[in-house]
């Protein structure tokens, strides 16, 4: 106890030097632990999204692009798939298809056209407002609401992907009717609308002023529509009846279709139906695609571990050198203590007590930091992944 008291008194007297040693040692302990926590959480978060999505149907092409666009709402633009594939899945009675349309954005966030089944499938709850009920309604994720400062009663305006993508694409003002509770998933970064609303944005459906007037009917003349006809850019109760779609819905596009089989047998049957490489559609397992991506990304993890170990050894050596030099500088002090009657064992216990106290304080700081990282890792990783999307 005497050694600990003397060590504490010495460290307090030389507080600046002691503080530097404590901070450096804490960083040496904290950085490798924090890195492992964040890497592990990132890996889990990436794979979890794929594991909760049984199957994904899309046009044949890059499986990774299809998965990233449909699950993470990224900027990838896979070839669209026709809605007739959704009807085919319904008719098979083997699965529930959930189409997603992710071609447009608003305020830097992806507009996801889908059906009400998506909200049940992802188990999404509302923190404010209600779900989609009318053409043109929008439900926003928690991050969208926070970063854009939007809430129920406000509105958003859609935008094309680029300035050269204006053919048939009209900005649509969408009233916000609901805000989703935070999920720490890409859903927090999405604006959800009914898939028919996405088709309106794309120009497949629209509403406009009535071309045929009462005067035309009375005169018995035909009215010709032209570019001067005003197309509505906001869907209201007064004009919603005028909105209509041209062509067959079976030919309308979707980015992908989330396929939820009734059981394992149904999933196996469906996968077998899309094995033909000549089929323009492909049915993939997102979990396998994401796991392959994660495996490639985390191949450098061993390299990072090696670099971290080398840095840690160098830092520990530097701290050891600092402590050793500190003891050398105290040689006259130690010699005086010996002349006053202190035994060498007592001197060694004093120096050991100082070292143990420094390491204990450093360990406590590192443990607190690691606990904070672990507690907020999912939130931070979700934010980082959203930036990547």
């Amino acid at each position: 106890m005497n050694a600990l008291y003397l060590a504490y008194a010495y460290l307090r007297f030389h507080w600046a030097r002691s503080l530097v040693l404590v901070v450096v040692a804490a960083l040496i302990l904290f950085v490798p632990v924090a890195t492992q926590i964040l890497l592990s959480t990132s890996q889990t978060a990436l794979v979890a999204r794929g594991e909760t999505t049984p199957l994904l149907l899309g046009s044949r092409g890059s499986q990774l692009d299809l998965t990233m666009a449909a699950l993470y709402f990224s900027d990838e633009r896979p070839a669209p798939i026709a809605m007739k594939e959704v009807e085919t899945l319904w008719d098979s009675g083997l699965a529930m298809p959930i189409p997603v349309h992710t071609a447009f954005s608003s305020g830097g966030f992806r507009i996801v056209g889908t059906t009400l089944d998506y909200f049940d499938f992802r188990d999404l709850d509302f923190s404010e407002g209600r779900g989609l009920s009318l053409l043109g309604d929008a439900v926003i994720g928690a991050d969208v609401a926070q970063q854009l400062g939007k809430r129920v009663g406000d509105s958003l305006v859609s935008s094309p992907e680029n300035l050269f993508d204006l053919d048939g694409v009209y900005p649509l003002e969408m009233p916000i009717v609901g805000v989703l509770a935070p999920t720490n998933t890409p859903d927090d970064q999405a604006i959800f609308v009914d898939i028919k609303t996405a088709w309106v944005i794309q120009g497949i459906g629209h509403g406009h002023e009535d071309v045929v007037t009462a005067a035309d009917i009375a005169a018995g003349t035909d009215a010709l529509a032209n570019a001067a006809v005003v197309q509505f850019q906001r869907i209201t109760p007064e004009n919603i009846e005028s909105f209509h779609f041209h062509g067959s819905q079976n030919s309308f596009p979707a980015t992908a279709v989330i396929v939820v089989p009734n059981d394992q047998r149904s999933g196996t049957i469906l996968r077998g139906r899309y094995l033909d490489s000549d089929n323009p559609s492909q049915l993939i397992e997102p979990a396998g695609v994401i796991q392959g991506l994660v495996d490639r990304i985390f191949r450098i993890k061993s390299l990072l571990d090696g670099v971290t170990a080398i840095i840690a050894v160098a830092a520990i050596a530097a701290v050891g050198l600092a402590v050793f030099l500190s003891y050398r500088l105290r040689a006259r002090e130690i010699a005086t203590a010996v002349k006053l009657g202190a035994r060498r064992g007592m001197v060694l216990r004093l120096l050991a007590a100082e070292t143990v106290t420094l390491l204990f304080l450093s360990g406590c700081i590192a443990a607190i930091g690691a606990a904070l990282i672990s507690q907020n890792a999912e939130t931070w990783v979700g934010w980082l992944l959203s930036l990547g999307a």
Side-chain angles (χ1 to χ4, degrees):
M1 293 299 295
N2 291 335
L4 288 174
Y5 175 77
L6 292 174
Y8 170 73
Y10 179 84
L11 295 175
R12 185 178 61 179
F13 183 79
H14 298 281
W15 64 269
R17 182 175 59 188
S18 301
L19 179 62
V20 171
L21 291 174
V22 167
V23 170
V24 171
L27 288 175
I28 293 172
L29 297 173
F30 169 75
V31 171
V33 175
T35 302
Q36 293 298 326
I37 291 174
L38 290 175
L39 287 175
S40 178
T41 304
S42 300
Q43 186 173 4
T44 301
L46 283 169
V47 175
R49 186 76 169 177
E51 289 179 342
T52 56
T53 307
L55 298 171
L56 194 62
L57 180 66
S59 293
R60 192 166 295 279
S62 171
Q63 295 185 359
L64 181 58
D65 286 352
L66 178 64
T67 301
M68 296 302 293
L71 271 62
Y72 299 91
F73 314 137
S74 64
D75 293 334
E76 280 76 15
R77 293 289 297 273
I81 186 171
M83 285 295 291
K84 67 179 180 180
E85 298 287 357
V86 175
E87 297 302 322
T88 300
L89 287 170
W90 275 122
D91 294 341
S92 71
L94 297 174
M96 177 181 68
I98 306 174
V100 289
H101 187 294
T102 63
F104 303 103
S105 61
S106 175
F109 295 96
R110 188 64 52 185
I111 296 175
V112 181
T114 186
T115 62
L116 295 178
D117 292 327
Y118 183 90
F119 297 89
D120 294 331
F121 172 66
R122 294 293 187 202
D123 196 22
L124 301 178
D125 296 321
F126 289 87
S127 62
E128 182 183 355
R130 59 172 175 81
L132 303 173
S133 61
L134 296 174
L135 187 69
D137 286 350
V139 169
I140 60 177
D143 290 347
V144 179
Q146 181 180 8
Q147 295 182 34
L148 296 184
K150 300 288 187 178
R151 58 179 301 173
V152 173
D154 296 332
S155 61
L156 294 166
V157 179
S158 65
S159 58
E161 286 300 280
N162 56 67
L163 295 177
F164 306 100
D165 188 21
L166 300 175
D167 185 22
V169 178
Y170 292 88
L172 180 67
E173 184 179 356
M174 302 166 290
I176 299 172
V177 298
V179 178
L180 295 174
T183 61
N184 290 326
T185 68
D187 295 325
D188 291 342
Q189 295 272 330
I191 300 168
F192 293 97
V193 299
D194 184 80
I195 193 168
K196 292 182 179 179
T197 302
W199 294 334
V200 170
I201 297 173
Q202 191 165 348
I204 298 175
H206 59 263
H208 50 68
E209 294 177 338
D210 198 354
V211 176
V212 180
T213 65
D216 295 327
I217 296 175
T221 59
D222 294 330
L224 298 177
N226 56 42
V229 177
V230 178
Q231 295 198 4
F232 296 121
Q233 296 181 347
R234 179 182 173 90
I235 302 174
T236 66
E238 291 75 23
N239 65 26
I240 191 172
E241 295 297 332
S242 72
F243 277 81
H244 55 281
F245 297 88
H246 297 282
S248 171
Q249 181 170 314
N250 284 340
S251 64
F252 292 172
T255 300
V257 182
I258 296 173
V259 181
V260 187
N262 299 334
D263 48 42
Q264 185 175 358
R265 175 178 174 275
S266 299
T268 302
I269 294 174
L270 286 174
R271 285 193 293 270
R273 293 181 179 180
Y274 291 90
L275 290 178
D276 186 0
S277 58
D278 294 331
N279 192 326
S281 301
Q282 61 178 341
L283 188 65
I284 64 175
E285 295 184 55
V289 175
I290 297 300
Q291 187 62 59
L293 173 63
V294 169
D295 290 342
R296 288 194 294 271
I297 293 175
F298 284 88
R299 282 176 186 171
I300 64 172
K301 183 174 178 294
S302 57
L303 177 61
L304 291 176
D305 291 342
V307 172
T308 301
I310 293 172
I311 294 175
V313 170
I316 291 173
V319 172
L321 178 61
V323 173
F324 174 74
L325 292 176
S326 174
Y327 293 161
R328 290 296 300 270
L329 291 174
R330 296 170 60 188
R332 294 180 60 184
E333 175 187 335
I334 295 172
T336 301
V338 172
K339 290 178 181 179
L340 291 175
R343 297 182 179 180
R344 293 190 178 275
M346 178 61 186
V347 174
L348 292 176
R349 285 197 299 271
L350 177 61
L351 298 179
E354 293 175 7
T355 305
V356 170
T357 301
L358 288 174
L359 293 177
F360 175 76
L361 293 175
S362 301
C364 289
I365 295 174
I368 293 172
L372 290 174
I373 290 291
S374 180
Q375 184 178 0
N376 298 281
E378 290 187 5
T379 301
W380 294 341
V381 167
W383 176 72
L384 290 172
L385 292 179
S386 69
L387 291 181

